[in-house]
Amino acid sequence: NVMLVWQRTVFHFQPEKNWMNDPNGPLYHKGWYHIFYQWNPEGAAWGNKISWGHAVDSKDLLHWYHLPWAMYPDQPYDLNGVWTGSATTLPDGKLAMLYTGETEDELVQDQCLADPVNPTDPLLVDWVKYSVNPVIYPPPGIGVKDFRDPTTACRSPAGNDTRLITIGSKLGKTGISLVYETTNFTTFKLLYGVLHAVPGTGMWECVDLYPVSTKSVIVITQENGLDTSVHGLGVKHVLKTSFDDDKHDYYALGTYDLQADTFVPDDPDLDVGIGLRLDYGKYYAARTFYNQNKQRRILWGWIGETDLEAVDPMKGWASLQAIPRSIVFDKKTGTNVLQRPEEEVESWSTRSKTFHDISFEPGSVVPIHVTGATQLDITASFEVDETLLETTSESHDAGYDCSNSGGAGTRGSLGPFGLLVVADEKLSELTPVYLYVAKGGEGKAKAHLCTYQTRSSMASGVEKDVYGSAVPVLDGENYSARILTDHSIVESFAQAGRTSVRSRDYPTKDIYGAARSFFFNNATEASVRASLKAWQTKSFIRPYPFIPDPKS
Ligand code: FRU
């Protein structure tokens, strides 16, 4: 089926076949990036033989080579699955890999240690599980099925070799994360209290805790990522948790008090689950690592399918990983992080089409003539005459939000405007990604980034949402958006990565040469001045297999 073949991506990370979920233990070691991932060797659905898939890349987090899977559920403590975990790179270059195993009979979740068989092998092809696993059992009072996904360890103030990790859980309906101390990764001590707890948020999966720099130093890359153990002045922490109950990734900025082993959010109204999400579309189980090669903190995240489950076995695969992004503190707003696709993505582009400072009238739709519109990287900036906010009859603070406001067809005086991507010539299928500028409190502009899927596919059973969220726009800034399309995935973000929306879109019409993109302005009053560059991104067909799988 040509449509199903076409849905496979060309620059997003995907296994060669079968089901994938969370990214696991990302790291940089002896010149190679490693990504491990939850992978089902038995087929294109999640199952009880979840293993660790493994791939490496020496260049840019884009040119991946598939390696044999690293771990398979074959021990009493992980027979039901080798689940999510993290890598810690120790000062002597050694690695400690922790993961969650689930037992077969009682479904007990325990934490296990694994080591590379040959640490001098840059590809880390073979892994061995520690002989006296598990290294941590669920403590008294914690549900045996609610204890998983250990984090990367950071240095503890208790002494040079002492390290801390945290593991997500819940007590009743309160999401929590427990803190453990270790010096050797084989014995662990549960510390008193919890790192953090938020009532009503349910089980916390895939907790991630890391520092971000608040200093305005301009290093060469301007990225300024921090190693996991950095603390002190000029540092804030991000606590991210994945909510099992609603399958979204939430984060808060705050202070990690190492003496008390607690995380305190900067603003209780922006606590985990109350405030911000890493993404407002389809995105889950994100995990970062510190790229010591480029001094950046890199964010990975799992993007599942939103078409019919029954289609996955026909495709032979399910899910992909979002483009790795560097993640930094937004020094301008002070209230959020910024996510930026790694700069190498740009070197992937070939032909481009540029519009410079063009005025688009209300109600216009203008084609962007770039071939290969299935694989695009678009950057756009928009200027809107906001004095219209004073003259328009639109009411103040009408409470616009993407999901409940009728999509791209709902017209306001200053929006929506943006791009129609993965569209066909006749616009019978299209996915609008747009900014909506509403009249917020005190008559000031309030922007939203939205993705509207209602007309994205004629295939049956595809989930169709209107995703999105508000995005802070500071005085003097233009509106801006970046959109990456790669066959069945659209990744969008606004204002240099303040707000992000990933969506899966399954067009049936715009495949291969038929794919088109358009600019649109559906405002009723405002004309929009836009500058826009659309690059066609290269295809990367991954060699198969790089190393034959000795285990299969
Ligand atoms: C999150 C998750 C983790 C678990 C893994 C199992 O998607 O449920 O909590 O370790 O996936 O595949």
Side-chain angles (χ1 to χ4, degrees):
N1 182 323
V2 104
M3 242 161 59
L4 297 185
V5 172
W6 176 87
Q7 282 173 16
R8 219 178 138 81
T9 66
V10 297
F11 63 97
H12 283 74
F13 179 77
Q14 293 195 261
E16 288 165 318
K17 59 178 184 178
N18 294 2
W19 166 270
M20 170 174 68
N21 54 296
D22 313 358
N24 293 157
L27 60 99
Y28 179 78
H29 179 74
K30 296 188 188 298
W32 290 81
Y33 294 104
H34 291 254
I35 180 74
F36 303 86
Y37 52 90
Q38 294 282 282
W39 183 67
N40 188 356
E42 298 190 334
W46 194 82
N48 64 0
K49 284 287 165 249
I50 292 292
S51 304
W52 273 35
H54 185 192
V56 291
D57 161 31
S58 66
K59 280 175 78 172
D60 52 11
L61 295 157
L62 289 164
H63 291 74
W64 294 98
Y65 293 100
H66 295 290
L67 291 185
W69 39 260
M71 290 190 274
Y72 181 82
D74 54 8
Q75 298 297 319
Y77 51 79
D78 68 12
L79 259 191
N80 212 44
V82 175
W83 285 3
T84 283
S86 309
T88 303
T89 304
L90 298 167
D92 58 4
K94 282 202 186 119
L95 296 170
M97 191 67 94
L98 291 172
Y99 70 92
T100 299
E102 196 185 61
T103 65
E104 193 176 31
D105 39 352
E106 312 271 316
L107 308 183
V108 175
Q109 293 165 11
D110 47 40
Q111 317 310 323
C112 309
L113 176 67
D115 291 303
V117 171
N118 174 8
T120 62
D121 167 18
L123 301 186
L124 300 169
V125 176
D126 291 308
W127 289 80
V128 59
K129 295 173 189 171
Y130 177 54
S131 55
V132 284
N133 270 342
V135 291
I136 313 177
Y137 279 107
I142 292 294
V144 296
K145 297 178 191 168
D146 308 320
F147 184 56
R148 55 187 180 272
D149 312 333
T151 57
T152 296
C154 72
R155 236 174 282 127
S156 144
N160 266 347
D161 290 337
T162 315
R163 274 153 215 282
L164 301 169
I165 61 159
T166 182
I167 303 175
S169 185
K170 66 173 177 182
L171 282 175
K173 290 207 174 348
T174 299
I176 61 168
S177 203
L178 304 169
V179 185
Y180 285 84
E181 194 180 80
T182 186
T183 51
N184 50 17
F185 290 89
T186 56
T187 52
F188 288 81
K189 182 174 132 202
L190 176 61
L191 298 187
Y192 179 75
V194 293
L195 174 76
H196 196 46
V198 182
T201 56
M203 174 67 199
W204 285 4
E205 298 187 310
C206 304
V207 172
D208 200 14
L209 176 70
Y210 51 90
V212 285
S213 172
T214 59
K215 288 188 208 144
S216 296
V217 279
I218 311 287
V219 291
I220 304 160
T221 60
Q222 297 202 340
E223 290 296 343
N224 216 10
L226 296 181
D227 201 351
T228 310
S229 290
V230 176
H231 273 89
L233 272 182
V235 172
K236 271 187 196 303
H237 273 78
V238 175
L239 174 64
K240 189 278 314 182
T241 89
S242 302
F243 285 11
D244 199 14
D245 289 358
D246 75 358
K247 297 288 174 214
H248 293 305
D249 276 15
Y250 293 86
Y251 76 93
L253 284 160
T255 304
Y256 178 25
D257 178 343
L258 276 167
Q259 302 292 339
D261 302 306
T262 53
F263 172 86
V264 182
D266 285 348
D267 176 353
D269 292 335
L270 292 177
D271 204 347
V272 186
I274 299 166
L276 300 166
R277 271 166 57 180
L278 275 183
D279 190 273
Y280 291 87
K282 182 77 180 168
Y283 187 76
Y284 196 61
R287 171 165 310 275
T288 61
F289 77 105
Y290 179 63
N291 176 359
Q292 66 271 37
N293 185 30
K294 296 209 163 167
Q295 290 83 49
R296 295 183 201 154
R297 182 156 288 274
I298 306 291
L299 175 72
W300 279 102
W302 165 42
I303 304 180
E305 303 292 323
T306 55
D307 60 349
L308 279 177
E309 249 175 63
V311 177
D312 296 341
M314 292 188 244
K315 292 196 297 225
W317 58 270
S319 313
L320 43 96
Q321 301 294 338
I323 283 293
R325 299 180 175 201
S326 66
I327 189 158
V328 291
F329 175 63
D330 186 346
K331 290 165 193 134
K332 289 189 182 151
T333 62
T335 53
N336 55 276
V337 293
L338 296 174
Q339 299 175 47
R340 303 181 189 151
E342 277 294 83
E343 62 197 9
E344 286 82 6
V345 175
E346 274 140 45
S347 65
W348 262 55
S349 310
T350 51
R351 264 162 297 179
S352 69
K353 181 81 192 169
T354 308
F355 284 87
H356 211 68
D357 226 0
I358 309 257
S359 188
F360 295 101
E361 296 308 309
S364 53
V365 177
V366 180
I368 302 165
H369 295 291
V370 58
T371 50
T374 52
Q375 298 164 215
L376 283 188
D377 181 356
I378 302 171
T379 52
S381 75
F382 308 101
E383 262 179 82
V384 184
D385 177 10
E386 286 178 7
T387 57
L388 279 171
L389 286 171
E390 286 156 27
T391 52
T392 177
S393 57
E394 205 165 287
S395 54
H396 275 218
D397 220 2
Y400 185 89
D401 88 84
C402 301
S403 307
N404 300 318
S405 300
T410 301
R411 304 184 70 178
S413 48
L414 283 86
F417 54 84
L419 284 306
L420 308 177
V421 294
V422 285
D424 65 327
E425 180 85 56
K426 294 186 185 139
L427 294 179
S428 56
E429 282 178 334
L430 50 97
T431 300
V433 176
Y434 53 93
L435 288 156
Y436 190 97
V437 182
K439 192 166 171 174
E442 296 163 12
K444 282 193 139 192
K446 189 165 180 206
H448 303 257
L449 171 70
C450 321
T451 297
Y452 176 61
Q453 294 187 302
T454 306
R455 288 173 55 196
S456 62
S457 178
M458 290 185 181
S460 58
V462 170
E463 279 173 39
K464 288 172 184 165
D465 280 294
V466 189
Y467 294 129
S469 175
V471 46
V473 181
L474 304 181
D475 285 347
E477 287 182 346
N478 282 343
Y479 297 97
S480 67
R482 175 136 179 224
I483 304 170
L484 300 170
T485 67
D486 185 1
H487 293 243
S488 57
I489 165 86
V490 177
E491 293 198 54
S492 319
F493 58 91
Q495 306 308 120
R498 279 182 197 143
T499 301
S500 174
V501 178
R502 282 97 166 169
S503 68
R504 298 303 305 278
D505 299 282
Y506 304 96
T508 61
K509 304 279 178 205
D510 73 333
I511 64 175
Y512 297 109
R516 298 283 181 272
S517 298
F518 300 82
F519 172 84
F520 80 99
N521 174 10
N522 210 16
T524 53
E525 295 183 55
S527 48
V528 173
R529 286 185 80 75
S531 292
L532 190 149
K533 190 156 184 176
W535 286 270
Q536 186 198 348
T537 49
K538 281 186 224 162
S539 291
F540 181 63
I541 311 297
R542 299 174 187 94
Y544 170 75
F546 175 55
I547 292 177
D549 188 345
K551 295 171 193 154
S552 64

